[in-house]
Amino acid sequence: MTWLHPYARFVCAATLLLVTAGGMVTSTGSGLSVPDWPNTYGYFMFSFPLSKMVGGIFYEHGHRMIASIVGLLTIGLTVWLWRAEPRRWIRRLGVAALAAVILQGLLGGITVLYFLPTPISVSHAGLAQIFFCLTVCLALFTSAGWHRSSALSTHEPVIRDSTLLALATGLPLLVYTQILIGATMRHTGAGLAIPDFPLAFGRLVPPEWSFAIAVHFLHRVGAAVTAVAILATLGHLLAHHRARRDLIRPASLLLLLVLIQIGLGGWTVLSGRVPVINTAHVATGAMVLGTALILGLRVNRHRFPDARQVSPVRAHPTGIATAPGAPV
Amino acid sequence: MQQRNLWTVFSVLVMVAAVACGGGGGGDAAAPAAPAAPAFDPASAGDLSGMVMLEGELPASEELMMNSDPVCAMNATNTMSSTFVGSNGHLGNVFVYVKEGLEGQSFPAPTGMVTIDQQGCRYTPHVFGMRVGQTLEITNSDPTLHNIHATPSANDEFNMGQPIQGMRFERTFDSPEIMVPFKCDVHGWMNAYVGVLDHPYFAVTAEDGMFDISTLPPGDYVVEAWHEQLGTHTQNVTVTTGQTAEVSFTFTAP
């Protein structure tokens, strides 16, 4: 188990890199620069010459290479979990992650072969975030902090706080919905449908409507709602659970990330979708989702099968001494 | 017997004349072979010629940044955008075609081939026309790889890779369409447009803005001029036997 958690974290980081590389593909309009799949211009993927990775191919083929590596890393993680992880539900989660990354690869291939149909491209973007969430979960569940926080007594104040439970549980769902709206906007070419920021055509509400304007405006409204929800969650935690640093920290990070994210969204519009800015917006969106998920999982720690009725201080089977309220 | 031979010679001459004079247009248009046997009497045909003007200053051509592919950056001989070409108030790369007035008429199937080449990391020609069912030859003369990605709305989309210099493919379009865009997703600056028509009466203006469409059946027509950024303009024109009808279009500079 010693190296399993660092390895899971590595897979999680590699997945964030993969999401970022995918963002660069869309931002640079390179999605169809390699017209065949799974080969690359007739070459077996790993034998495609580096010297030919030019223009859009650099992004699209690079994305495929990183995806293949993440796929291999996920196979490794699944096998490792299956052999070393005693909790069956985590082993199954590993298999789910493997299934997700395989399906994601197939979606990527289909979207290339069928010239980027919007439903497939949006599904590809949506499943990417789900797979990222699965790697976040696996990294969290294999951490020593997660083991340490297994005592139900630690969570009693949170269990009784229905407002916090609702906020922290709803937050990842809200962020994921917001990401799906963003993906729809991105894959329907609506990123500049409202050309100004923070106003919309110089007003609070657009004076005219089309599908592109509607989905773009909805994404902006979603950003405001998400920011308010994060602020409310952090405020609630500070008011009622100030001692729970393991919750305060991700909530604070969330607030910082969402402010950066809104700034990047505005910058994306004002810059006319400069690829690097646009991609940073995609990557930060994934980080907002991952952080919201960690907060949600920690708040709901008592619901997991490995949460136990134990005395507040005990020795963990791994040999790690635990204490109530310890940061995880 | 002698009379029959005369008729044969006459028929051959008519066909040769039709091939030599009919169909397609001037300028850069990769005009298809003219109708081999027009459904009307070519002797009754008239011609159409004209000019496309630009009101206002011709936008300066953008320099294309080709440094994402060292082969392009090294070998390109022309790095200026083809969107706005022209001189002295004249506009090139405008596709001019008969939009209305030929309904119900049929024209012989085209026999020639139209070629679009990827050369110097650009499409040659940038704007051209072809017939429904006519073969489009796509070639790659560059020592680098390209994908050619057609994004039509009325025809089937295709995206093909040409990783090796000298590769060639053939495609056809089944429906008329103004215009079918081509792009290279590898080299984002590469784009081209083809007008696909079910008749041979089209042309692309040269840099002097001039175009010619010959051997039109006499009649009243709606002629349209299309530019990739400036949109379209239409004109009504009457073509009469043995005469050259003149028509001009004026676009406004952005």
Side-chain angles (χ1 to χ4, degrees):
Chain A
M1 287 289 280
T2 313
W3 287 99
L4 180 57
H5 171 62
Y7 181 74
R9 286 176 67 155
F10 179 66
V11 175
C12 184
T15 304
L16 183 59
L17 177 67
L18 175 59
V19 169
T20 307
M24 277 306 283
V25 170
T26 314
S27 300
T28 56
S30 307
L32 293 175
S33 60
V34 180
D36 48 347
W37 183 90
N39 286 341
T40 297
Y41 285 91
Y43 288 89
F44 171 61
M45 184 191 295
F46 292 104
S47 66
F48 185 72
L50 284 176
S51 62
K52 290 184 183 292
M53 280 184 67
V54 294
I57 300 171
F58 176 80
Y59 299 108
E60 171 61 16
H61 184 66
H63 179 53
R64 293 186 188 189
M65 295 290 283
I66 296 169
S68 301
I69 291 166
V70 168
L72 292 172
L73 289 173
T74 309
I75 291 172
L77 181 60
T78 308
V79 171
W80 197 338
L81 286 170
W82 201 258
R83 292 173 66 90
E85 173 57 54
R87 293 164 292 181
R88 191 171 61 178
W89 60 277
I90 293 185
R91 294 200 303 270
R92 289 182 172 174
L93 200 62
V95 174
L98 181 59
V101 79
I102 291 170
L103 182 60
Q104 178 70 345
L106 291 174
L107 279 179
I110 291 169
T111 204
V112 164
L113 296 178
Y114 290 91
F115 316 118
L116 311 180
T118 301
I120 303 294
S121 295
V122 172
S123 302
H124 187 60
L127 186 57
Q129 301 289 343
I130 287 177
F131 173 66
F132 175 61
C133 285
L134 287 169
T135 63
V136 167
C137 288
L138 289 169
L140 181 67
F141 297 156
T142 53
S143 67
W146 186 261
H147 286 296
R148 280 198 299 270
S149 63
S150 62
L152 274 172
S153 55
T154 309
H155 307 285
E156 276 170 11
V158 167
I159 294 168
R160 287 194 299 270
D161 189 342
S162 57
T163 304
L164 179 60
L165 285 170
L167 280 171
T169 307
L171 211 47
L173 299 173
L174 179 63
V175 174
Y176 185 68
T177 306
Q178 169 69 349
I179 284 177
L180 285 184
I181 296 168
T184 306
M185 183 182 81
R186 193 171 168 78
H187 290 283
T188 53
L192 296 177
I194 299 176
D196 49 347
F197 181 88
L199 294 176
F201 299 100
R203 300 179 185 189
L204 281 176
V205 177
E208 55 185 285
W209 292 94
S210 65
F211 174 79
I213 293 172
V215 75
H216 186 122
F217 190 67
L218 189 60
H219 190 56
R220 291 188 183 195
V221 171
V225 171
T226 306
V228 168
I230 288 170
L231 203 58
T233 308
L234 178 61
H236 188 84
L237 280 168
L238 289 172
H240 301 284
H241 304 276
R242 190 177 285 268
R244 288 292 301 269
R245 288 183 58 206
D246 60 317
L247 304 182
I248 298 281
R249 279 191 308 186
S252 305
L253 180 61
L254 261 182
L255 184 62
L256 177 67
L257 284 173
V258 84
L259 291 177
I260 292 171
Q261 179 69 341
I262 290 172
L264 285 170
W267 196 2
T268 300
V269 170
L270 296 177
S271 70
R273 284 191 306 194
V274 167
V276 173
I277 309 299
N278 203 350
T279 303
H281 187 62
V282 172
T284 308
M287 287 192 271
V288 171
L289 179 61
T291 310
L293 182 64
I294 288 171
L295 177 64
L297 292 170
R298 285 179 176 173
V299 166
N300 286 281
R301 178 68 179 94
H302 59 282
R303 299 186 199 275
F304 284 83
D306 57 346
R308 284 172 294 182
Q309 291 283 2
V310 291
S311 58
V313 178
R314 67 184 294 272
H316 189 270
T318 55
I320 303 165
T322 60
V328 288
Chain B
M1 186 68 181
Q2 197 176 7
Q3 197 175 12
R4 269 179 64 186
N5 286 340
L6 276 174
W7 274 113
T8 306
V9 170
F10 178 72
S11 302
V12 169
L13 282 174
V14 167
M15 289 172 70
V16 169
V19 168
C21 305
D28 290 340
F40 68 97
D41 179 6
S44 68
D47 297 329
L48 177 65
S49 70
M51 183 180 289
V52 177
M53 318 277 286
L54 183 70
E55 193 176 76
E57 196 174 338
L58 185 75
S61 280
E62 284 180 38
E63 178 151 19
L64 306 172
M65 302 303 291
M66 298 187 178
N67 49 8
S68 65
D69 185 341
V71 175
C72 297
M74 206 159 52
N75 296 333
T77 52
N78 179 6
T79 58
M80 303 310 287
S81 163
S82 299
T83 301
F84 290 103
V85 295
S87 57
N88 302 322
H90 302 139
L91 189 60
N93 276 343
V94 176
F95 187 73
V96 183
Y97 70 103
V98 175
K99 184 177 184 181
E100 294 172 22
L102 292 166
E103 295 80 3
Q105 299 190 46
S106 59
F107 302 93
T111 53
M113 191 182 275
V114 176
T115 299
I116 180 170
D117 189 22
Q118 294 149 110
Q119 193 174 34
C121 292
R122 302 167 67 90
Y123 288 120
T124 307
H126 179 66
V127 178
F128 62 106
M130 61 183 287
R131 300 275 302 279
V132 170
Q134 189 171 16
T135 301
L136 173 65
E137 181 188 47
I138 302 163
T139 59
N140 179 12
S141 298
D142 280 331
T144 189
L145 41 66
H146 291 290
N147 75 305
I148 184 153
H149 181 192
T151 56
S153 50
N155 288 280
D156 291 335
E157 186 172 353
F158 65 83
N159 182 22
M160 300 182 297
Q162 292 193 320
I164 298 167
Q165 187 175 21
M167 283 183 86
R168 56 178 294 279
F169 292 134
E170 290 181 2
R171 298 290 298 202
T172 56
F173 293 103
D174 298 328
S175 304
E177 185 167 349
I178 304 294
M179 304 283 286
V180 176
F182 288 106
K183 63 177 176 177
C184 176
D185 300 282
V186 180
H187 308 105
W189 62 86
M190 286 177 67
N191 63 343
Y193 301 89
V194 59
V196 183
L197 291 164
D198 53 7
H199 62 73
Y201 302 109
F202 53 83
V204 175
T205 59
E207 282 200 29
D208 62 2
M210 303 293 289
F211 69 90
D212 290 296
I213 297 174
S214 54
T215 328
L216 262 165
D220 295 324
Y221 299 106
V222 175
V223 179
E224 185 166 85
W226 171 98
H227 183 268
E228 63 186 276
Q229 285 214 349
L230 302 179
T232 58
H233 283 287
T234 55
Q235 295 272 6
N236 293 313
V237 62
T238 300
V239 173
T240 53
T241 301
Q243 301 295 310
T244 298
E246 299 279 342
V247 62
S248 67
F249 299 90
T250 303
F251 286 86
T252 305

